Amino acid sequence: MAARRTGRPARGGRARMRGRAVLGATFVALLALGPLSLGTSSSSAAATAGPTAAGPRVVTEETAAVPAVVVTEVTPRSVGPDDTVSVSALLTNTTDTPLEKVHAYLGVVRYRLSSRQALRGWAAGEVTTADPTPVADLDLDLDEPLAPGASRTVTFTAPAADLRLLPYPETSGARGIVVTFSDDAQGRLGEGRGFLVWDPTADGAPVRLSVVVPVTGPAPDPTDPAAWTSRIDSETAEGGRLGAIVAGTAAHRGVSWVVDPALVERAAAGTPGTVAWASALLAGASGRDVFATDPFDPDLAALAAAGVEPLTDDRSPVAAPQEPDAEATAAASATATPIDDVRRAAASWRTDLALPAEGTASTEVLAAAAAAGPRLVVVDDGLEGVGSTTAPGSTAVATSSGDVTALVPDPHLDALFRSATSPLDPDLPTALAAANRDHDLMLLLAEIATVGEEPVAAQRHLLVTGSRTWTPDATALGHVLGTLESHRRIDLAPVSTLAGTPQPSSDRTPLPVTTSPVANLRTATVARAWDRVAEVRAFAGVTADPASLGSAPVATTSAALSVAWGSATTDRVRLLDDARAQVTAILGGISVVAGSDINLISDRGNLPIRVRNDLGVAVSVGVALVPDDPRLSVLDVPSATLEPGSEQNVQVPVRAIGSGDVSVVVRLTGPDGEVVAEPYAFDVRVRAEWETVGTGVMGGLLALLVLGGVVRTIRRGRSARRTAPIRPLEDA
C-alpha cells in the first residue's frame, strides 16, 4: 500500500477540523500555564489493568463489523522539538466487505497523561478528552481492495513542530495519539490509540529498570535421567521455552538470570542439543548477575511450612559477577567435560537470592529464606505500592530471622513486558497479532516514561520479571530488551544495583503471613523426607567423599519438591518413595557378618568381628563392642577400611575380669561416633579361670612324670650287664 501526505483534513469533515483547530488554539493558552493531567474514573482504572487495555486483542462477534486499528510504533522513542516524528499503524479488515479507498488521520492530545492510571485509561478508550489536535492525514492508494482478513500498514511522518507541544522541561511526558481510518462508502472505519513521549530538553534523569529472568524447569526426575533429558531437550530446542530465554537474553548483560544448576548440569550430560544450550548459557552468564536456585528449584513455601531448610551446599555468595580469567578458563576447558564446565561456573554464581513460586511469598517464606542464607527475595504477590506514585522495586522487610530485601516487580510493567515478548496469538491474523505485541511495547515505554515524570526526590528503580512458565519469542524478547537498552530515558541495570541502592520508603499492601505451597504435600511428609536425608548425610562421613554417597537421595528428595512438578502429587510421592528406598539401601550398605558365639578362656584376648561393605565406595568404620556385663571390658575401638564389596575381620581387644556368659553388641561407627549400621549382638562365654586351672593341672602332671622317672631309676640300681671298668694289664 502506497501512502502519501495530502496536507488537508478529512473529506467531508472540514468544519469539524476547523473546530478542532479552534480548540487547539485554546489548549495552547491553557498549556502556557503549565501541563494538565487527564483523569479517569475508578471504574475505568479497574477495567484497564494489564496489557488487555493496550489495544485490540481479539475480534468478537460484537466487533466483527469494525476494522481493527492498532498503533504499532512511534519513533523516536523520546521526541524532541527538532525531531521528525514517525507514527505507524496497522489497519486490518475484519469485515466481510472489501475496502476500496481508505483515508487515514493522525491527531495528538496535547495534554500530558501525568499518571499511569490515566495512561491505561486512555489506551482502553475509557478516558474522555477533548478532540485530538490534527497533525497529518493521508490518502491510501490501494493497489487492490483490502480484502476481508487482510492488513495494511500506514506510516505518518511529520516534524515535531506540527505537534504544537511546548518546549519546556515541565511539559515533558507521555501524550496520547490517535490514528483514524475511514472510507467513502462506510465513513469512519475505526480508531487506534497510542502514545508518544515528549522530551523537549532530553536532560531528565532516566528511570532505572532491572529485569530478572528465571531459567528453571522442566519437572526434574533424577531416577529417570532419560525422561528428564527428553523434556529438557524439548524446551531447549529452537522455539522451546528455555531455548528462547537464553537466545533472547544472552546478548543483554543487564538482564539478571536465576538459574537451577541441576538443570544446567543435566543438560550438559544430555543430547547434543542440550549440551549446546548449556554451553550457550555458560557463555551468556559471563559478566552478568547470575543467581543459583537451590538444586532442582524446590518449593520454598513447602520447606518453610515444614520448618526445614533447602538441601544445598553451604557456599559463600559472590558480591558481584566476576569476569573469568580467559587463559585459566581456556586451559581448564581443554581437558574438562561439559559437566565440569557447568560445575566450575556454578560455583561462582551468587546464592543470596530466593525465588519463591508465583503467589507463595509470605513473611514465613521470607523468614525461612533469611534463616537459610539468602537476603534477597523476589515477592510477586504482596508489597505492591499504594498511592499516586509508583513504589520502587525493592524494600526492606524485617523477619524473625533478620532483615531481608524484598524485590517487588511492578505488576503492570510485568504484564506488558511478558505480553510484548510473547509468541504471536494464533487466533489472530499474523499482522494483527504482531501489531498488538508492538502496541504493548509502546505502552510499556510510555508507562516507564510516566514514572520518570512523577514528583519524587529520588531516582526510581523498577523491576520486571518473567515467570517460570513464561515462554517468550526469542526475536521479540531481544527486540524489547534492545529497545529498553537504547532508550535515553531508561537505564537497564542489573539486580545487584537495585539490591545495593537504598530506595525511598513507600506505602505498600501487606505481605501474607503464610501461603499455600505449590507442592501440596503434608508438612509432616516433607519433614520426614528431610529427616531421612539428614540420616544419610550423617552416615556419609564414613567415606572420603561424603557428597558422592548421599547425592542420590538428596537429589531425589529435592526433585520431589521442585516447583516444576506443580500439582502432580502422584509424581512427588513416587519420588519420595524412591528416595526412601535409596536411603534404606545406603544405611544398610555396611553390616556385621553373623557368626557363632565366642569362648574366651583367658583374661585377655581379641574377639574377631567380620564386617562387610556392600556400597560402591570405600568406607572407614570403627568397630565398637558394648558388653552388658562388667566382667568383660573392651580395651579399644579399632577402625577398618573396606573396599567396595569386600569383607574384613577386625580384632577387638578385650579383658576378662571374671567368668560368665556376657551378651555383646557390635556397633559400627562413623568418624563422629554415630552408629552407621544395624547393631549386631552375640554371646561371649568368659572362662578366665580355665587358663589358670589348666596350667596348674598340666604343671602337676609334668611334676609327677619327672618324680616317677627319678624313683624308677633309683629302684632299678646299677645293671650287671654294664661294662666292667678297665684295669691296667698286670705284668706277666
Side-chain angles (χ1 to χ4, degrees):
M1 172 185 296
R4 59 184 176 83
R5 184 176 179 185
T6 65
R8 55 175 176 76
R11 201 173 292 178
R14 296 179 185 273
R16 181 172 65 253
M17 296 299 288
R18 282 196 296 270
R20 292 177 179 174
V22 173
L23 287 172
T26 305
F27 296 158
V28 172
L30 293 173
L31 287 170
L33 300 176
L36 301 178
S37 299
L38 291 178
T40 178
S41 66
S42 59
S43 60
S44 298
T48 58
T52 56
R57 276 292 173 270
V58 295
V59 179
T60 65
E61 294 181 359
E62 291 78 4
T63 61
V66 179
V69 180
V70 183
V71 179
T72 58
E73 188 176 28
V74 177
T75 56
R77 303 294 184 182
S78 293
V79 179
D82 298 327
D83 291 328
T84 297
V85 183
S86 177
V87 178
S88 297
L90 182 78
L91 170 66
T92 301
N93 185 3
T94 54
T95 71
D96 297 330
T97 306
L99 301 179
E100 299 288 345
K101 189 169 182 60
V102 179
H103 316 290
Y105 313 98
L106 171 65
V108 60
V109 176
R110 300 177 61 219
Y111 290 105
R112 184 177 70 186
L113 297 166
S114 60
S115 73
R116 297 175 65 187
Q117 187 181 43
L119 200 72
R120 292 191 292 271
W122 164 258
E126 297 179 359
V127 169
T128 301
T129 69
D131 287 338
T133 299
V135 176
D137 62 281
L138 299 169
D139 279 335
L140 306 183
D141 295 332
L142 301 178
D143 299 331
E144 58 184 18
L146 190 62
S151 299
R152 292 290 187 275
T153 297
V154 58
T155 300
F156 299 89
T157 302
D162 286 2
L163 303 176
R164 300 169 61 189
L165 301 176
L166 297 179
Y168 308 128
E170 60 270 18
T171 65
S172 63
R175 300 296 194 279
I177 58 175
V178 180
V179 174
T180 305
F181 287 93
S182 67
D183 72 353
D184 291 337
Q186 303 181 49
R188 184 176 180 277
L189 297 174
E191 172 188 280
R193 294 190 173 196
F195 308 92
L196 64 81
V197 177
W198 179 240
D199 190 13
T201 58
D203 60 358
V207 175
R208 279 182 174 167
L209 180 69
S210 293
V211 180
V212 173
V213 176
V215 187
T216 61
D221 188 350
T223 66
D224 191 352
W228 185 17
T229 301
S230 178
R231 290 192 290 270
I232 296 174
D233 189 48
S234 176
E235 293 204 9
T236 55
E238 184 177 357
R241 179 178 63 90
L242 294 173
I245 288 174
V246 171
T249 61
H252 305 281
R253 291 302 198 273
V255 177
S256 303
W257 285 348
V258 182
V259 183
D260 175 9
L263 162 69
V264 186
E265 187 171 325
R266 181 66 252 165
T271 66
T274 63
V275 172
W277 175 84
S279 299
L281 182 141
L282 295 185
S286 176
R288 95 168 60 234
D289 275 354
V290 182
F291 299 87
T293 70
D294 296 308
F296 303 96
D297 189 26
D299 182 0
L300 300 181
L303 302 183
V308 296
E309 294 186 5
L311 302 175
T312 182
D313 294 331
D314 183 16
R315 292 181 289 144
S316 299
V318 244
Q322 302 294 309
E323 291 291 346
D325 185 324
E327 295 183 1
T329 300
S333 297
T335 57
T337 66
I339 296 179
D340 294 331
D341 292 338
V342 170
R343 290 173 177 169
R344 184 172 57 252
S348 68
W349 294 344
R350 295 179 59 162
T351 58
D352 56 340
L353 182 144
L355 184 67
E358 283 192 275
T360 64
S362 64
T363 55
E364 181 182 58
V365 170
L366 265 62
R375 296 290 170 170
L376 305 176
V377 184
V378 178
V379 175
D380 67 341
D381 187 16
L383 300 180
E384 297 178 7
V386 176
S388 58
T389 59
T390 301
S394 68
T395 184
V397 178
T399 75
S400 58
S401 301
D403 292 347
V404 299
T405 298
L407 306 178
V408 188
D410 185 287
H412 295 293
L413 298 185
D414 245 17
L416 287 169
F417 175 75
R418 297 181 195 181
S419 182
T421 58
S422 64
L424 298 178
D425 188 342
D427 296 329
L428 294 178
T430 301
L432 180 56
N436 282 336
R437 197 166 60 183
D438 292 337
H439 191 277
D440 290 333
L441 174 58
M442 181 171 52
L443 180 54
L444 173 65
L445 299 176
E447 287 226 22
I448 296 174
T450 303
V451 172
E453 299 298 331
E454 292 178 349
V456 293
Q459 182 183 25
R460 286 303 193 201
H461 196 148
L462 307 179
L463 175 69
V464 298
T465 64
S467 68
R468 285 176 170 85
T469 57
W470 170 57
T471 304
D473 177 89
T475 302
L477 177 57
H479 172 64
V480 169
L481 293 174
T483 301
L484 294 173
E485 287 176 333
S486 62
H487 201 293
R488 69 187 186 191
R489 296 297 298 272
I490 299 174
D491 177 16
L492 195 62
V495 165
S496 57
T497 303
L498 172 61
T501 305
Q503 298 296 313
S505 59
S506 180
D507 293 334
R508 297 177 181 271
T509 59
L511 192 64
V513 176
T514 59
T515 50
S516 298
V518 174
N520 48 345
L521 297 171
R522 292 183 299 175
T523 57
T525 300
V526 178
R528 282 197 300 270
W530 256 244
D531 287 343
R532 287 194 296 269
V533 171
E535 292 180 28
V536 169
R537 285 184 158 177
F539 174 88
V542 300
T543 70
D545 183 11
S548 65
L549 183 59
S551 60
V554 168
T556 307
T557 304
S558 295
L561 268 292
S562 174
V563 174
W565 280 114
S567 59
T569 306
T570 301
D571 290 292
R572 294 186 189 277
V573 172
R574 172 181 58 81
L575 287 171
L576 290 179
D577 289 341
D578 290 343
R580 184 185 301 109
Q582 292 168 346
V583 169
T584 301
I586 292 174
L587 297 182
I590 305 174
S591 59
V592 177
V593 179
S596 59
D597 294 341
I598 299 175
N599 294 320
L600 181 63
I601 61 173
S602 63
D603 61 345
R604 291 177 179 269
N606 292 325
L607 300 184
I609 306 299
R610 192 163 186 80
V611 183
R612 178 171 179 78
N613 175 23
D614 290 317
L615 299 174
V617 294
V619 299
S620 297
V621 296
V623 182
L625 302 184
V626 182
D628 69 346
D629 194 299
R631 285 177 288 186
L632 183 67
S633 175
V634 180
L635 302 179
D636 193 12
V637 180
S639 61
T641 299
L642 291 85
E643 295 301 318
S646 66
E647 294 184 5
Q648 181 177 331
N649 276 329
V650 181
Q651 303 294 330
V652 183
V654 296
R655 183 180 66 181
I657 299 175
S659 297
D661 293 341
V662 179
S663 179
V664 178
V665 175
V666 182
R667 292 179 179 172
L668 303 183
T669 61
D672 296 329
E674 71 280 3
V675 177
V676 295
E678 187 71 23
Y680 171 74
F682 66 97
D683 290 333
V684 177
R685 289 189 288 271
V686 181
R687 302 293 183 265
E689 71 279 5
W690 284 15
E691 182 179 31
T692 303
V693 173
T695 301
V697 171
M698 294 299 295
L701 291 176
L702 181 60
L704 290 175
L705 289 175
V706 172
L707 180 61
V710 171
V711 172
R712 182 171 177 272
T713 302
I714 294 174
R715 291 183 61 185
R716 288 175 58 190
R718 185 179 299 270
S719 174
R721 290 176 293 183
R722 291 182 179 180
T723 305
I726 300 176
R727 297 181 175 86
L729 294 176
E730 296 179 356
D731 292 337

